[in-house]
Amino acid sequence: MAITKVHARQIFDSRGNPTVEVEVTTSKGVFRADVPSGASTGIHEALELRDGDKNAYVGKGVLTAVKNVNTVLGPELIKANINVQDQTAVDEFLIKLDGTPNKSKYGANAILGVSMAVLKAGAADKGVPLYRHIAELSGHGDKKFVMPVPAFNVINGGSHAGNKLAMQEFMILPTGASSFAEAMKIGSEVYHTLKSVIKKKYGQDATNVGDEGGFAPNIQDNAEGLELLKEAIAKAGYTDKVKIGMDVAASEFYKDGKYDLDFKNPESDASQHLTGEQLAALYKDFTTKYPIVSIEDPFDQDDWSAWTHVTGATDIQIVGDDLTVTNPVRIQTAIEKKSCNALLLKVNQIGTITESIR
């Protein structure tokens, strides 16, 4: 089925920042996609095109990307008359049209909006749910689907909050739940128990939340955040059913070859900055004292040796996000160097559905 219309507009995301929305029209209907955007991003990600006009949306407008969809990408795609079920052909056409390694000509946010909207149109054309269409595009359409363990981001730090915490996310993982429904129940109860624990210990204003809904108490010691989680999990009665995960986002506080856990303080003491080995030792201490089963982005996105060391020295999940940026080349390098044993897949990091699947 061919595309008859492509239209983009500027909308606002959950942080109040502009982003791109794209509508693709076929004879089956109108299919809409909103482009996601991260607060902390890796330097190796595809280019998210922003207008840069400081007098409008503090430079974060996306009207140029919207224009690129409406005047170039959309019209050219319609002219190409590609079947919406052929996601690879659509995405490769868009990539070739842009012609740059990181989609900087038209913007990864412009290209991704079209790619995602076409994905939804393709699923509708097939008459299957979106998840089934994605599985078939990935070559896994015949496999049994399993619901994942949800991860609840309950304490925010780093670039997601205005407190002193350097590490970005502290999560609870209900690994002992017997169903997704039970996992959601456990997550909800621990979250609200954590709120009462924080309120009792630090006062009402400490229960303010960060960008992603987690509490942002004004503490600096990352171990203190882990203690809060441990206490809340126990008080909720789920010590045997809940583990802890962390997203450190260490690239955010990597300075001159060292890690500054007081990076939000412009007067931070350089003598207290940690080497990769010292930070690895801190993680080892954390995993000894707390039920941590997953650490995301424990080191800077280009500190490969530190990644390889910690992955080889632990049996927990070490997750690449800023390290791998959903980029097949960097993922292959991570595999060869044995730098991590898991990764996040974010379509906005690479810019098309096809490249994300690869």
Side-chain angles (χ1 to χ4, degrees):
M1 183 180 296
I3 297 167
T4 58
K5 183 181 177 181
V6 178
H7 180 71
R9 64 177 63 88
Q10 177 174 278
I11 62 167
F12 296 89
D13 67 16
S14 62
R15 293 186 175 92
N17 292 325
T19 190
V20 179
E21 180 177 82
V22 176
E23 289 178 348
V24 164
T25 302
T26 72
S27 62
K28 288 283 181 76
V30 179
F31 305 93
R32 184 180 297 117
D34 305 335
V35 178
S37 177
S40 61
T41 56
I43 59 173
H44 301 290
E45 296 185 18
L47 181 81
E48 180 184 61
L49 187 62
R50 298 282 182 178
D51 296 338
D53 180 0
K54 298 299 182 183
N55 295 317
Y57 308 109
V58 293
K60 292 186 176 183
V62 292
L63 295 177
T64 304
V66 167
K67 182 181 178 182
N68 289 341
V69 174
N70 290 336
T71 63
V72 182
L73 299 177
E76 290 298 322
L77 186 58
I78 293 169
K79 196 185 303 180
N81 198 35
I82 303 171
N83 191 307
V84 290
Q85 290 191 34
D86 195 345
Q87 187 74 39
T88 300
V90 169
D91 290 339
E92 288 181 350
F93 177 81
L94 295 172
I95 292 167
K96 186 176 180 180
L97 205 58
D98 179 87
T100 65
N102 64 343
K103 302 176 180 64
S104 57
K105 183 176 181 179
Y106 296 123
N109 44 346
I111 293 169
L112 179 59
V114 178
S115 180
M116 291 169 65
V118 168
L119 180 72
K120 290 184 175 181
D125 193 36
K126 277 186 183 177
V128 299
L130 183 60
Y131 71 87
R132 173 71 66 180
H133 181 43
I134 293 170
E136 290 172 356
L137 290 173
S138 307
H140 300 295
D142 58 344
K143 293 192 176 180
K144 182 181 178 182
F145 295 102
V146 179
M147 292 292 283
V149 174
F152 297 82
N153 179 10
V154 293
I155 294 181
N156 291 178
S159 295
H160 285 177
N163 56 13
K164 295 178 181 178
L165 272 180
M167 298 181 184
Q168 188 164 274
E169 297 176 2
F170 295 77
M171 296 169 276
I172 53 171
L173 314 174
T175 56
S178 59
S179 66
F180 194 85
E182 186 191 2
M184 291 300 296
K185 176 177 179 289
I186 291 170
S188 173
E189 291 177 6
V190 173
Y191 178 78
H192 289 291
T193 303
L194 176 63
K195 182 176 182 178
S196 65
V197 168
I198 292 173
K199 182 179 177 181
K200 184 177 180 180
K201 194 165 188 176
Y202 304 108
Q204 178 69 44
D205 60 350
T207 59
N208 291 335
V209 297
D211 274 5
E212 299 190 348
F215 300 114
N218 198 24
I219 56 178
Q220 182 174 341
D221 187 353
N222 295 282
E224 197 168 352
L226 293 168
E227 277 294 337
L228 288 171
L229 287 190
K230 187 177 177 181
E231 182 179 346
I233 291 166
K235 281 194 172 182
Y238 292 117
T239 298
D240 60 336
K241 289 191 174 185
V242 176
K243 302 297 183 185
I244 294 173
M246 300 173 66
D247 175 10
V248 178
S251 294
E252 296 291 306
F253 54 85
Y254 187 64
K255 297 179 180 177
D256 303 318
K258 289 190 175 182
Y259 296 90
D260 178 12
L261 294 180
D262 190 23
F263 81 103
K264 297 182 186 180
N265 175 11
E267 306 297 325
S268 68
D269 183 356
S271 68
Q272 298 300 309
H273 297 179
L274 305 180
T275 63
E277 291 79 6
Q278 290 171 320
L279 188 56
L282 181 62
Y283 295 141
K284 184 176 181 180
D285 183 57
F286 285 169
T287 57
T288 300
K289 294 178 179 176
Y290 306 100
I292 296 172
V293 295
S294 179
I295 301 179
E296 177 186 336
D297 283 340
F299 301 102
D300 179 69
Q301 56 214 333
D302 288 317
D303 195 356
W304 291 96
S305 59
W307 279 85
T308 300
H309 168 74
V310 81
T311 300
T314 184
D315 58 358
I316 70 168
Q317 182 172 270
I318 302 297
V319 185
D321 179 16
D322 291 342
L323 179 77
T324 48
V325 293
T326 317
N327 184 304
V329 175
R330 288 187 68 86
I331 292 169
Q332 185 58 42
T333 301
I335 291 169
E336 292 169 359
K337 292 179 178 289
K338 298 181 180 178
S339 300
C340 58
N341 52 33
L343 60 82
L344 287 194
L345 191 151
K346 296 179 178 176
V347 289
N348 57 295
Q349 291 179 326
I350 191 68
T352 66
I353 296 299
T354 297
E355 290 169 291
S356 300
I357 288 172
R358 287 174 182 161

